[in-house]
Amino acid sequence: MTEITAPKSAVTAEQFADEIREQLKYTQGVTVEQAKPADVYVAASAAVRRHLMDSWFKTQSDMVNGNTKAVGYLSAEFLMGKQLRNALLNAGLTEQFDAAVKELGFSVQDVVDAEHEPGLGNGGLGRLAACFIDSLASLGVPAFGYGIQYKYGIFEQKFDENGKQIETPDYWLTNEEPWGHIDYNRDQKVSFGGEVVEEDGKKVWKPAWSVRAVPVDYMVPGYASGRVNTLRLWTAKSYDEFDLLTFNKSEYLDAVKPQVEAENISKILYPEDSTPQGKALRLEQQYFFVSASIHDAIRVFYPGQDKPDLTTFADKITFQLNDTHPVIGIPELMRVLMDEYGYDWDTAWTVTNKTFNYTCHTLLPEALEVWPSKLIGELLPRHLEIIEKIQDQFAAELKAKGVDEATIKDMAIYTGDSVRMAYLATYGGSHVNGVAELHSQLLKDVTLKNFSDVYPDKFTNVTNGVTPRRFVKLANPRLSDLITEGLGTDKWVSDLELLKGLEPLAADDEFVKKFAAVKQANKVDFSNYAKREYGFDIDPNTMINTMVKRLHEYKRQALKILAVIARYADIKSGRIAADDVMPRTIVFGAKAAPGYYLAKQTIQLINNVARVINNDPDVKGKLNVYFPWNYNVRLAQHLIPAADLDEQISQAGKEASGTGNMKFALNGAMTVGTLDGANVEIRERVGAENFFLFGMTVDEVDALYAEGYDPKKYYEADPRLKAAIDMVADGTFSNGDKTVYEDLVHDWLTKDWFMTLADFGAYTAIQSEIEALYAQPLEWNRKALINVANSGYFSSDRSMEDYLERIWMTGPLK
Ligand SMILES: *Cc1c(COP(=O)(O)O)cnc(C)c1O
């Protein structure tokens, strides 16, 4: 007997179909006969939302009336993915939906496809925030996600006829969006500019302009917890309806100008990843959502109180700063407590310090945000004063602790010219965490070493995780069924460590064969999907080898594409007989920041390598490269279950954690990777013999930098590497035009900051090991299954439990 614990609503398919009909008729004003799949999608979404409504109310009232501290997850990005399937799963309405849609005469796939993914994040950081709020709801922990409802999310990527990336705006809100509920009556005023004056011995900020922050609420339903939390995304509206006087003079554009300017604040998500952009509008965005969220939390937790006792604020809510983007919240809470509620500095500092915690997501020094003081002074003059005072207090504290002058200077939050947000966050909050063991160690040893010397107790680690609901249960129904069969229960969906129970089954050849059949069926599915969506002809009987993530030099897509080119050259030159080649299909997915030149060149190169190889009869069926455009959560959910081998090949010490690596291991792909980020922990858990490790370690990388790295040496020493780079340089992938990849080649040969060339030998060497194993399907699948069985730790539920225990000191509602 298999134990089934998945939520299942008592609503029947017939009832659900009636609810959809009702919604169509009375809210949307269309009959079932007139309805298009997009109408049914909207109606079904509204119907599910109604089913979640009582739990949502109850969670909110229990949160405010109970004694459980809530979590406020402050994040500039939430990369949610599509909502409908996830909401149906958690509401226990999946089967009823499928049946109801068919009964109404529609195809389930058409209706589900009508949902447009909200692209409110760049990549891993935003997806992490989405996984975390899913897990908090599933654990029954009261929580808010706080962020921005960007009108334009991450750009939609296309490729032109030369294989170059084109960015087009993502008009995700042009059609009806049934999930976000705009609440004009819970708005907040957020002010900017102006000056600070003294009145009766008190500092008073006289801002120059204000915008209206209006919340858009998204339900965040927990799985089998009966809880529904809130993702509150702020949108900016103008207070100035248009200026009638100007309008009467028929200067229409001038009349609406203040409106347009105010609303610019929530207009676009900056398409940057791993590098901050020092734009005034970006600082405005950060302050906008953080200020609105702090005021919102006061409204929620002290309802109707004119003089709330905010000394208890840190007992009501703890704010997690997802990277430095929301760090302006620290001086903001100080200001609110002092200027709006009359607390003295020390009281305000104690509350602020207790309220905030900071997650650092990088080690790349260029990615730590630093704002010019001038800009902060112009936009937020009172905050700059507070930051200066924090700096004075900080310097005095360090001096009292016996820190020398030079170090105090090195550690300055405020240097006079600029404000270092990571330092402000570290000093201003209670805890700082890295996102994988290795990363947290490097934060303490390198990036924030001075801080960890003085405040060792602040530092901790929480290894990232991913939600098993979206990335296993929804994305991979076949594997989910097999896991449930193997374990005799579906409880693993909310207790992923139970996957460990699959380990003995790795010795059972029959079970391993079932596991292999699941992978094969998923590959056929993906091949069909790729045909339908992209027109690709992917052979599901070849190894599917993936590399999907943002395009960045440190992630080293260049290493992969150079190895592909070398392989191509091997076959072309006859170094390897075509018949001896194990057939492989390589699938890339990646967006590059629009201003990131080398990343965009790499995209162009991959596309053109794909074009040349896929059209060359000499390698037909042996080596194929595909690059589906616009990598997003939807594509991730389709691709990951079909992967045989996944690439996690960043330069050691550069990927803070990675979460793609976790998704692939959980879906039964083998990983080829470096000792970086969470790869280290994945390998520890699944066993060294079940992970393809290669490449330099952090120490070896450091030693090579110290010695003076010369990429040319590696180029000269390895004829296969040389041949690959020469093919890029000689126009093989640019119709003979030698100029197209000039800059990329020049960078490889003269700089190669992330040591792609140095790791090339080790990377290509391990490929023969990989192919030898893949030639024994039973052994390959046994190892892949062992990966699944030992990856339960990488659930974001476990990450949340670690945060709750080490940082937030709170737990589920009673
Ligand atoms: C998981 C995920 C990422 C993060 O991938 P990494 O390999 O960890 O960089 C980025 N984008 C999407 C759409 C994801 O689902």
Side-chain angles (χ1 to χ4, degrees), residues 568-584:
Y568 177 56
D570 286 341
I571 305 172
K572 290 296 277 185
S573 68
R575 209 179 79 88
I576 298 180
D579 287 346
D580 295 341
V581 176
M582 188 206 72
R584 249 199 236 223

Side-chain angles (χ1 to χ4, degrees), residues 12 245 447 544 615 619 624 659 741 766:
T12 65
L245 220 63
T447 318
I544 305 278
N615 287 306
V619 296
N624 282 287
T659 49
Y741 303 113
I766 200 158

Side-chain angles (χ1 to χ4, degrees), residues 757-775:
L757 274 55
D759 266 344
F760 182 85
Y763 179 67
T764 49
I766 200 158
Q767 298 301 329
S768 37
E769 214 178 292
I770 290 170
E771 299 193 352
L773 185 68
Y774 196 73

Side-chain angles (χ1 to χ4, degrees), residues 570-633:
D570 286 341
I571 305 172
K572 290 296 277 185
S573 68
R575 209 179 79 88
I576 298 180
D579 287 346
D580 295 341
V581 176
M582 188 206 72
R584 249 199 236 223
T585 299
I586 290 135
V587 182
F588 284 94
K591 290 182 186 178
Y596 191 170
Y597 178 70
L598 286 180
K600 292 179 93 169
Q601 280 233 318
T602 307
I603 285 183
Q604 190 180 356
L605 175 62
I606 295 170
N607 274 320
N608 283 287
V609 170
R611 175 180 55 81
V612 170
I613 291 184
N614 296 351
N615 287 306
D616 188 335
D618 293 349
V619 296
K620 201 170 165 47
K622 302 294 173 188
L623 185 62
N624 282 287
V625 180
Y626 293 97
F627 195 163
W629 48 92
N630 204 44
Y631 180 53
N632 60 7
V633 179

Side-chain angles (χ1 to χ4, degrees), residues 777-792:
L778 198 61
E779 294 321 305
W780 177 279
N781 281 292
R782 205 185 307 283
K783 285 174 184 284
L785 176 58
I786 294 172
N787 268 262
V788 176
N790 290 288
S791 294

Side-chain angles (χ1 to χ4, degrees), residues 79 123-124 127 471 548-549 555 631-633 636 648 658-660 663:
L79 188 55
R127 186 52 236 178
F471 287 109
V548 286
K549 48 187 70 253
K555 291 178 181 277
Y631 180 53
N632 60 7
V633 179
Q648 298 294 340
T659 49
K663 298 169 198 166

